[in-house]
Amino acid sequence: MVKSYFKIAWRNLVRNKAFSAINILGLALGLVCSLLIILWVRDERSIDSFHANGKQLYQVYERWHYDGKVEASYPTQGLLAQELKKVIPEIKWACNVDYASASGQNTFEAGDKVNKMGGRFAGADFFNMFSYPVLQGNPTTALLAPGSIAISRKMAESFFGTPAKAIGSTIRYENKEDLQVTAVYENMPVNSSQHFDFLRSWTDYIKENNWVNNWGNTSPEAFVQINKEADPAKVKAKIKDFIYRYKAKEKAEVIELDLQPYTEKYLHASFKNGYIYGGRIEYVRLFSLVALFILLIACINFMNLATARATKRSKEVGVRKVIGAVRSALVGQFIGEAFLLTFFSVVIAVALTGLLLPAFNELTGKQLFLPISQPVFWLSLIGLLTVTGLIAGSYPALFLSNLNPLKVLKGNMKFSWSATFFRKGLVVFQFALSIILIVSMIVIYRQMDYVQSKNLGYDRENLIYVPIEGELVKNYNLFKEQASKHPGILSVSKMRNSPTIIEHHTGSIEWPGKDPGLRVSFADGVVGYDFVKTMKLNLVAGRDFSKDYGTDSVSFIINETAVKKMGLPEPVGQTISWGNRKGKVIGVLQDFHFNSMHQAIDPLIIRLDENWGWGTLLIRTKAGKTKEALAGLQTICKSLNPGFPFTYQFSDQEYTKLYNNEQVVSKLSNYFAFLAIFISCLGLFGLATFTAQQRNKEIGVRKVLGASVIDIVRQLSTDFLKPVAIAMLVAFPIAWYVMNEWLLDYVYKINIGYQVFAVAGLLTVCIALLTVSYQTLKAAMSNPVKSLRME
């Protein structure tokens, strides 16, 4: 019986090649989209899932209440981890982790090999907590001794040839100290959120950073592993006020510690009102829904196209019923046909997915692959085939098997109002989802264009960042002198970190008239001479730091937001304090963005220090002279800093990196919106075919009575566009709400005006008209004699 079903299904498939091709293509495209998203979501959810102690691993984060606000972040105190382990009995292991370099790269030398590697400082318990396999050395003691370093397999092979040869060897760090390789660990797996080529001991970190002994300073991240039998809620309660064991409480600020499961951090890394709130998980949920919706759209196409052919297959059903076929047998037959078409669609979808994966990986920055060797993959495909076949074939099977054989054989087959309403409702549903995706695509594109083109308050074009390292620390003045003479360079300055992201904040700012109970967090910067000139910032009052004024070493420049926060009507000349530093305000900067537009501009205070030992060189080049300027900078750096490779970043590219996730989402939205509207148009094509067949005689009568081709095309097109118009009414409010929620993550954002919906509506109508134009013209131009002939 089953064999006969598939024989009939195959004959129908071959006999109606165009219909079958459209059906298979629609389903295949929906499945391709779903498979790609499923692979991406699967990869996102697998990040950090490989740690053996994952259920017991937590990251400590800090929450503070001040200035009427509640905020939170991951940076913590430098001695926190070891104190938590010492005091809290439920904590088995603990370690702090921090970047080894502000630029993200450090220079190493071994023998005649010199290279840059990215790494961290980490506590001694690191390898006991995290499942990064140690190939050589003792994981328990690898990061215990001063001067020790653990390196990756890649770094070991790069400098020493093999991991075995690396153990016990000496490697030169930043051309200033020799470190001993105490361990070699396996390269980071692709599903790790942490990526580093080396780890240095926390003992060395403390030695290099005296500020860690002050419990008011934060920078490193802290991780703990609790005992298996420990209750996380009780541990959270114990550490909540832990900081006040080491510092006095202040009325102006309340600090609390909290825990987040480490395996959840990658997807849940955003904060709202001091607590974990969203993150990449929002995109995972969003695209999971997109995958489901596009697959539903594809299934709806199948239903509409199959129903559109009902008039041609109705006599087959009538004959089969007359000769004794029961309804269950007919349902089985049509479900079998759906499964056959779905099977071909799945095969094509898997092949297309394999072909598209390289491009998809490049777009998303992933290393996805089809896990064809894993039984779970094939079970998932079988499940997808079963669900899709049932959804796609259920309505046509139930509808066709329910036809009245007498009416069918007499040629009086008419479709009920409810059946017609259901089919049109499916089209409305399809286009509503497609319109939501189109509106989302437009809004995301406009927001990305806004953040890229908005005036940041400084000119990020022709601005180059060079890390201050090695001999450049003491040769900065000589470097500036030589670089300033180059014809392609306009000006040179320096800054701690970089102006793209100023993360360092201080709460120790005092000013005249400040409320003793008020604590305000200021972003703070340390710069060199010519900072304002090099950045092309605007001064609204006062002046820049200058060598003509000997007191500028104890003076400050603040931004407009700081002035508003301080409430100083005439800030220039006012004496303020930054911790133990007291000095006068000499200038006020017009507000400029020094973080992404997800964040509001913070109060900013800047001081002068030409002797600061690390950070970023800021070089402003002449327009069109960047290539020559880079060549000149390379020559100067090779002369003044021969032990370090010349590296640089462009300011505009560093700024763009702040929106990597959004850029990927924007591109994916474009592709998915296109796919959704294309597949939906296949459904509209099915409805147009069905309607043309149903109204064949009506069209013939209209033509006999004098209706022109244009009149008939207008009438049919209007009928076809009604579901699209209803879809707009349904989709526009939903799209407005969804995208407004998305834009809430940006402090600086576009307004969703009527233009967005006008463009989306016009685009949808044009596409819909192009889709139905073939069928409407074909019906309008048909011979009325053939239409009216009795069959």
Side-chain angles (χ1 to χ4, degrees), residues 216-232:
N217 295 327
T218 60
S219 179
E221 295 183 337
F223 304 90
V224 298
Q225 180 182 327
I226 65 174
N227 296 317
K228 289 184 178 181
E229 64 278 5
D231 183 353

Side-chain angles (χ1 to χ4, degrees), residues 452 460-463 465 650-657:
Q452 292 298 331
R460 64 179 186 268
E461 299 293 328
N462 306 309
L463 182 62
Y465 302 157
F650 292 108
S651 176
D652 53 351
Q653 292 179 357
E654 293 302 299
Y655 176 76
T656 300
K657 288 179 183 177

Side-chain angles (χ1 to χ4, degrees), residues 190-357:
V190 294
N191 61 334
S192 173
S193 62
Q194 300 188 72
H195 293 279
F196 45 83
D197 297 307
F198 69 89
L199 292 171
R200 292 194 60 191
S201 75
W202 200 250
T203 304
D204 288 339
Y205 183 88
I206 294 173
K207 184 173 64 176
E208 293 182 11
N209 298 277
N210 291 327
W211 58 262
V212 299
N213 297 301
N214 183 339
W215 283 79
N217 295 327
T218 60
S219 179
E221 295 183 337
F223 304 90
V224 298
Q225 180 182 327
I226 65 174
N227 296 317
K228 289 184 178 181
E229 64 278 5
D231 183 353
K234 292 181 179 178
V235 177
K236 287 183 181 184
K238 284 188 176 183
I239 71 168
K240 182 178 179 181
D241 299 320
F242 190 82
I243 296 299
Y244 295 117
R245 289 173 173 264
Y246 307 93
K247 63 173 293 186
K249 289 187 176 182
E250 301 177 27
K251 291 183 179 179
E253 180 183 56
V254 176
I255 302 173
E256 299 172 347
L257 297 183
D258 207 340
L259 296 178
Q260 178 185 19
Y262 177 70
T263 53
E264 295 180 7
K265 182 196 172 182
Y266 176 77
L267 293 178
H268 303 79
S270 297
F271 296 96
K272 184 176 182 179
N273 297 325
Y275 290 88
I276 303 295
Y277 180 85
R280 291 179 69 92
I281 188 64
E282 294 172 8
Y283 294 127
V284 169
R285 291 167 180 161
L286 171 65
F287 285 121
S288 297
L289 283 174
V290 169
L292 176 62
F293 288 159
I294 290 181
L295 188 58
L296 280 175
I297 288 172
C299 291
I300 290 169
N301 279 346
F302 187 100
M303 296 179 189
N304 278 334
L305 288 168
T307 308
R309 284 190 40 79
T311 53
K312 290 189 177 181
R313 299 198 63 180
S314 58
K315 288 187 178 180
E316 173 196 337
V317 174
V319 170
R320 289 175 65 87
K321 279 197 168 186
V322 167
I323 63 176
V326 295
R327 187 180 184 190
S328 59
L330 292 171
V331 169
Q333 176 191 335
F334 292 119
I335 289 288
E337 291 183 16
F339 270 100
L340 184 63
L341 285 171
T342 306
F343 173 77
F344 288 125
S345 298
V346 168
V347 172
I348 294 171
V350 171
L352 283 175
T353 302
L355 291 173
L356 292 173
L357 265 180

Side-chain angles (χ1 to χ4, degrees), residues 62-66 69-73 271 273-275 521:
E62 191 170 284
R63 181 186 309 112
W64 60 96
H65 306 250
Y66 73 98
K69 299 184 291 186
V70 184
E71 295 185 355
S73 65
F271 296 96
N273 297 325
Y275 290 88
S521 178

Side-chain angles (χ1 to χ4, degrees), residues 393-441:
S394 58
Y395 177 71
L398 294 172
F399 173 78
L400 289 170
S401 64
N402 196 41
L403 293 177
N404 188 317
L406 294 178
K407 290 184 179 181
V408 167
L409 295 175
K410 286 180 179 179
N412 297 325
M413 189 187 79
K414 291 184 179 180
F415 294 94
S416 66
W417 177 87
S418 60
T420 303
F421 180 81
F422 181 72
R423 282 191 301 277
K424 290 186 176 180
L426 292 177
V427 175
V428 169
F429 178 71
Q430 281 183 306
F431 271 90
L433 294 178
S434 300
I435 292 166
I436 290 171
L437 284 174
I438 290 173
V439 172
S440 302
M441 173 189 72

Side-chain angles (χ1 to χ4, degrees), residues 645-705:
F646 174 65
T647 57
Y648 61 91
Q649 294 88 35
F650 292 108
S651 176
D652 53 351
Q653 292 179 357
E654 293 302 299
Y655 176 76
T656 300
K657 288 179 183 177
L658 298 177
Y659 306 98
N660 276 347
N661 288 341
E662 289 86 348
Q663 294 287 359
V664 171
V665 168
S666 179
K667 291 176 182 177
L668 288 177
S669 297
N670 294 345
Y671 295 132
F672 294 152
F674 171 78
L675 271 176
I677 197 72
F678 179 77
I679 297 171
S680 294
C681 286
L682 289 178
L684 189 62
F685 181 82
L687 184 63
T689 304
F690 170 77
T691 304
Q693 289 174 351
Q694 285 293 100
R695 300 178 67 177
N696 201 23
K697 290 186 179 180
E698 176 195 336
I699 293 168
V701 171
R702 285 177 180 272
K703 292 190 74 174
V704 168
L705 294 176

